[in-house]
Amino acid sequence: MSRTLLRSVLELRSPVMRLLLPSIRPTATTAAPAVTVPAAAAARFFNQTAQHIEPSQPDPSIVANSKSPLASSPSPSSLQQTQPQPSETQQQQQQQSQPLANTPPKPISESVRALLPVLAAQPGRYITVHIHGHPYLVTEGDSVRLPFKMPGVVPGDILRLTRASILGSRDFTLKGAPYIDERLFECRAVVTGTESEPLRIKIKKKRRCRRTKHVKSKHRYTMLRISELRIRTEAVNEA
């Protein structure tokens, strides 16, 4: 009796399940068996799933305005506000990085205009030139041995020395602050060659340590000869 009641109940439920969730029939490519879901699980699935909401249609006026190039491109005023303004330190660095050639030369004072021809007429002139920060008091024809090897030069090169702090003779002296204007003089030097000192070996040792270290050194120096020292009196007339 119980079996007949169970069969009748299953026969009543089967058309409802077919309507709600039809069985998955195997296709030609897949041979998976049919899957059946109980009615309680199907009802729980439909109650928990969120409803599908259709998106609302946009306003045609808004769509037309969004496609216009004027609405999409920002205004010039907004661009100026968004650009970052450079700070004071950055402005100072930009001013310092600008080349000095753009700055106009300083005018020559009246005292230099009056006394420079007198200084050029006197014999035995001397000059204090600065080469890589080292000052050298030289006259025309002197030889100078630099305490280092100057990079990028070969014997026979002619160098114009433009940094000088003192230019004078027996009776007159022209001093710079800190350097003399390079338009007032011409000083040229010829690279004669390089020299090297004898090989030196220094023994380095620490206390209570038997190990010693021998350090070898052999420095090289660049030799210069002052070939020309001339005061430019025509620069006074040009300025």
Side-chain angles (χ1 to χ4, degrees):
M1 185 65 183
S2 60
R3 292 182 180 178
T4 57
L5 292 174
L6 181 60
R7 287 177 183 175
S8 62
V9 170
L10 292 176
E11 288 177 359
L12 292 173
R13 288 186 178 181
S14 57
V16 178
M17 291 297 299
R18 288 177 189 145
L19 292 174
L20 292 176
L21 291 175
S23 59
I24 301 174
R25 297 180 181 179
T27 58
T29 56
T30 61
V35 179
T36 58
V37 182
R44 192 183 306 111
F45 173 78
F46 283 110
N47 292 332
Q48 290 179 0
T49 53
Q51 297 180 358
H52 179 68
I53 302 173
E54 293 292 335
S56 60
Q57 295 295 332
D59 191 0
S61 62
I62 299 176
V63 175
N65 293 333
S66 63
K67 292 182 179 180
S68 62
L70 296 177
S72 59
S73 60
S75 61
S77 60
S78 62
L79 289 176
Q80 293 178 2
Q81 294 176 1
T82 54
Q83 291 180 356
Q85 297 295 334
S87 59
E88 295 181 358
T89 56
Q90 293 179 356
Q91 292 178 0
Q92 293 177 1
Q93 292 177 1
Q94 292 177 1
Q95 292 177 1
Q96 293 177 2
S97 62
Q98 291 179 356
L100 298 178
N102 296 336
T103 58
K106 296 181 179 180
I108 301 174
S109 62
E110 296 296 333
S111 59
V112 174
R113 290 173 181 270
L115 297 177
L116 193 64
V118 182
L119 177 61
Q122 290 194 343
R125 295 182 297 272
Y126 64 90
I127 188 173
T128 302
V129 293
H130 293 254
I131 303 174
H132 286 271
H134 298 272
Y136 301 95
L137 179 62
V138 295
T139 59
E140 187 174 352
D142 289 353
S143 296
V144 181
R145 189 184 77 167
L146 304 179
F148 55 88
K149 184 180 179 181
M150 184 179 291
V153 297
V154 294
D157 290 350
I158 299 176
L159 309 177
R160 184 184 176 187
L161 310 177
T162 58
R163 288 193 175 183
S165 57
I166 297 175
L167 175 62
S169 63
R170 184 180 294 273
D171 298 330
F172 298 94
T173 303
L174 177 63
K175 294 183 179 180
Y179 302 113
I180 303 173
D181 192 352
E182 61 182 31
R183 298 175 296 174
L184 302 179
F185 69 96
E186 283 187 1
C187 182
R188 289 182 171 84
V190 181
V191 180
T192 57
T194 57
E195 290 185 357
S196 60
E197 65 175 6
L199 181 64
R200 295 185 297 174
I201 300 176
K202 183 177 181 181
I203 301 175
K204 289 188 175 183
K205 185 181 180 303
K206 296 182 180 180
R207 293 184 301 173
R208 297 180 295 274
C209 184
R210 296 182 180 180
R211 185 176 60 182
T212 59
K213 184 178 180 181
H214 294 71
V215 180
K216 300 179 181 180
S217 65
K218 188 174 183 179
H219 297 285
R220 297 183 182 275
Y221 311 106
T222 301
M223 299 295 297
L224 301 178
R225 182 175 58 84
I226 308 300
S227 60
E228 181 182 1
L229 177 57
R230 184 174 68 89
I231 298 177
R232 298 185 58 188
T233 55
E234 65 272 11
V236 178
N237 301 326
E238 293 176 359

